[in-house]
Amino acid sequence: MELVDSHTHLDFPEFDPDRAQVIERAWQEGVRLIFNIGTDLNSSQASIALAESYSFIYASIGLHPHDARLLDGETSQALEKLAHHPKVVAIGETGLDYYRNLSPKEAQREAFAFHLELARKLGKPLVIHSREAHQDTLNFLRDFARNPGKLSPPYGIMHCFSGSLEMAKEAIALGFFISVAGPITFKNARKLPAIVKEVPIDFLLIETDCPYLAPHPHRGKRNEPAYVRFVAEAVAEIKGLSLEELGKKMLENAFKVFRLA
Ligand code: NI
């Protein structure tokens, strides 16, 4: 069985005690591709360092909406420089989070626009976070799809999707994939399984978003890429596929959206 984890934060301090073992465990469990997503300048640099150390890890660079207030001329120049690295396959994580509002909305929108511009300029796809900000996020994506610069579809990923079915449909029509994380496995999950059922398999991806959002039966504990298997099992069941078939399809989708040869 072969799997992909399309969204990890293995550079976070939660993994300091045993990072190498966590990565080894992922490989042993069949995880053949990991995309480590930068959330600020340091985390983006650390993501690249991980990608340089492991052939099956790739990196994305960006400033998370929570940290959007940190965007200044120096940071944007440094991020743009990092974006050229050959193992940097995406821009983000970027987007809007009006649930926690850890950065002011205006700063979040400015940072989002900066990442979209970088994607246009470099032709690299976007990793997008949207929480309680779905209309504003869609407005940015509509605008991007009208003027994608050097980027051709698919334009990126709606990571840890938490929107409605209507939003998923529109994001797909605009050129984005829908990625689901641990909540798909939760006993009380209703809305997300219904969305996964409707979204064509060609536009789906799976992720852990580790160290957060550990899937059942590890809910509440530290998450890790090996647990993407539980997300894969839940999606496979909804789609009526074997775990092997689902895993293979998710790898194909990851190759496509991240442009791996
Ligand atoms: Ni994330």
Side-chain angles (χ1 to χ4, degrees):
M1 181 194 52
E2 298 190 327
L3 295 169
V4 55
D5 189 344
S6 75
H7 194 112
T8 68
H9 299 290
L10 289 168
D11 56 294
F12 281 18
E14 284 85 345
F15 295 110
D16 283 349
D18 59 347
R19 187 169 290 107
Q21 291 95 309
V22 166
I23 294 170
E24 174 60 23
R25 197 148 56 229
W27 182 263
Q28 294 303 333
E29 289 290 313
V31 180
R32 292 294 174 261
L33 273 180
I34 290 176
F35 297 89
N36 202 73
I37 312 299
T39 57
D40 61 18
L41 190 52
N42 285 337
S43 155
S44 295
Q45 281 160 340
S47 298
I48 293 175
L50 276 169
E52 285 174 339
S53 305
Y54 295 90
S55 61
F56 75 120
I57 301 183
Y58 289 81
S60 180
I61 61 95
L63 206 52
H64 193 283
H66 294 339
D67 296 312
R69 66 186 184 288
L70 302 175
L71 189 70
D72 56 16
E74 209 175 310
T75 307
S76 59
Q77 272 182 15
L79 284 171
E80 179 163 355
K81 207 171 160 207
L82 294 180
H84 285 90
H85 189 284
K87 286 205 81 177
V88 171
V89 292
I91 308 299
E93 112 175 53
T94 183
L96 302 169
D97 191 318
Y98 297 167
Y99 176 70
R100 295 185 68 192
N101 272 319
L102 295 184
S103 282
K105 285 182 181 176
E106 198 43 51
Q108 293 189 41
R109 288 191 281 258
E110 273 175 35
F112 196 9
F114 160 75
H115 289 81
L116 295 172
E117 199 47 43
L118 206 51
R120 284 186 184 103
K121 199 166 155 184
L122 301 181
K124 295 191 180 188
L126 291 149
V127 176
I128 292 169
H129 171 113
S130 172
R131 196 160 177 211
E132 309 274 319
H134 297 327
Q135 282 317 315
D136 274 11
T137 301
L138 277 175
N139 284 334
F140 273 95
L141 301 188
R142 288 182 196 116
D143 192 54
F144 183 84
R146 277 193 291 271
N147 170 26
K150 282 171 77 176
L151 189 61
S152 50
Y155 296 134
I157 298 170
M158 305 302 293
H159 121 82
C160 193
F161 189 76
S162 64
S164 64
L165 177 59
E166 291 65 35
M167 185 192 189
K169 285 180 173 166
E170 180 161 8
I172 290 167
L174 287 169
F176 291 84
F177 277 61
I178 303 296
S179 181
V180 293
I184 190 74
T185 68
F186 295 169
K187 293 283 177 220
N188 56 356
R190 297 279 180 278
K191 202 171 97 178
L192 199 52
I195 290 171
V196 167
K197 201 174 162 117
E198 293 295 321
V199 168
I201 189 112
D202 288 344
F203 300 97
L204 266 183
L205 271 170
I206 52 173
E207 64 175 271
T208 56
D209 199 16
C210 65
Y212 310 120
L213 290 172
H216 176 79
H218 299 286
R219 189 173 182 177
K221 304 210 182 76
R222 184 187 72 172
N223 198 1
E224 62 175 73
Y227 299 167
V228 80
R229 181 203 177 97
F230 299 105
V231 177
E233 280 171 354
V235 173
E237 195 185 326
I238 293 167
K239 290 301 198 187
L241 296 172
S242 69
L243 186 55
E244 283 70 21
E245 289 168 326
L246 191 276
K248 190 166 169 268
K249 182 65 187 168
M250 295 299 104
L251 269 170
E252 275 175 31
N253 287 354
F255 265 81
K256 197 168 165 189
V257 69
F258 291 111
R259 280 94 171 147
L260 305 184

